Amino acid sequence: MTRALIVVDVQNDFCEGGSLAVRGGADVAFRIGQLLHQWQEADEKDREYAYVVATRDHHIDPGDHFSANPDFVNSWPRHCVAGTDGVGFHPNLDPQPFDAIFDKGEHAAAYSGFEGKCQDGQGLAAWLKDKGVTQVDVCGIATDYCVRATALDANNAGFGTTVLAGLTAGVAPASSEQAITDLCTAGVTVTT
């Protein structure tokens, strides 16, 4: 069994002080950073993850995904615009030992990391399969949107999927609870 960690959208704009801040985002960034530090310090043979990857909102012109009057369901304020500080990974997410980064949403809304591409143009599912990954753990921001979508797509792509709920932050309590229900119903394992 080869396991990978997928760190979803732990970016400046999704943490406190960002243009689309999620409450608790900076703390989640810090706690994921601690996990990554432990992973990096472990002997290679003792590492829980063979690979660590990240996804990133990377908007250029995503059309009606941005709105001056967002509904906070399908449309949002401008966020994670390519070339701005907001698109960067939060500094609490340290270290950043990512084997690959998958950018998504350049010209349309994209919630799942499986919609993203890495620098060489390969998608996340193909990248993971090429590395022999069979199991993934998912953490990051936001529980009720990009974490949910990424985990569901991982599950649908045939990966054994676990969401590390204690390492996520959600936009709203009700939609986060619904996301957890949806994930469990789909057969995704959710841990606290």
Side-chain angles (χ1 to χ4, degrees):
M1 175 178 70
T2 302
R3 181 180 295 274
L5 178 67
I6 303 173
V7 179
V8 177
D9 298 3
V10 182
Q11 297 171 258
N12 290 325
D13 271 350
F14 294 140
C15 296
E16 289 83 351
S19 66
L20 190 54
V22 174
R23 185 177 182 180
D27 182 58
V28 162
F30 177 76
R31 288 185 284 122
I32 293 171
Q34 289 180 314
L35 174 66
L36 295 176
H37 182 74
Q38 292 167 358
W39 175 80
Q40 219 173 17
E41 292 294 313
D43 288 333
E44 196 166 323
K45 63 178 175 44
D46 296 328
R47 288 183 174 174
E48 185 172 357
Y49 302 108
Y51 302 98
V52 176
V53 300
T55 70
R56 183 169 64 179
D57 259 16
H58 193 255
H59 297 308
I60 296 170
D61 182 10
D64 60 6
H65 184 61
F66 286 170
S67 174
N69 299 301
D71 63 13
F72 295 95
V73 175
N74 296 307
S75 61
W76 305 90
R78 291 177 60 82
H79 61 277
C80 300
V81 174
T84 68
D85 288 341
V87 79
F89 292 115
H90 193 275
N92 285 358
L93 186 66
D94 181 46
Q96 298 172 12
F98 302 127
D99 293 296
I101 297 169
F102 295 85
D103 288 334
K104 59 188 176 65
E106 280 85 354
H107 299 286
Y111 294 95
S112 171
F114 286 83
E115 297 175 78
K117 304 279 185 220
C118 64
Q119 191 171 14
D120 69 5
Q122 190 172 35
L124 180 53
W127 191 94
L128 292 169
K129 288 179 180 178
D130 282 354
K131 304 293 186 200
V133 172
T134 57
Q135 306 283 322
V136 297
D137 288 357
V138 181
C139 61
I141 304 170
T143 313
D144 34 355
Y145 289 91
C146 296
V147 169
R148 175 189 178 277
T150 300
L152 288 174
D153 280 355
N155 189 58
N156 290 337
F159 298 101
T161 305
T162 300
V163 170
L164 307 176
L167 295 177
T168 69
V171 171
S175 54
S176 294
E177 288 173 21
Q178 184 60 53
I180 297 299
T181 299
D182 295 345
L183 291 164
C184 291
T185 300
V188 172
T189 301
V190 177
T191 65
T192 54

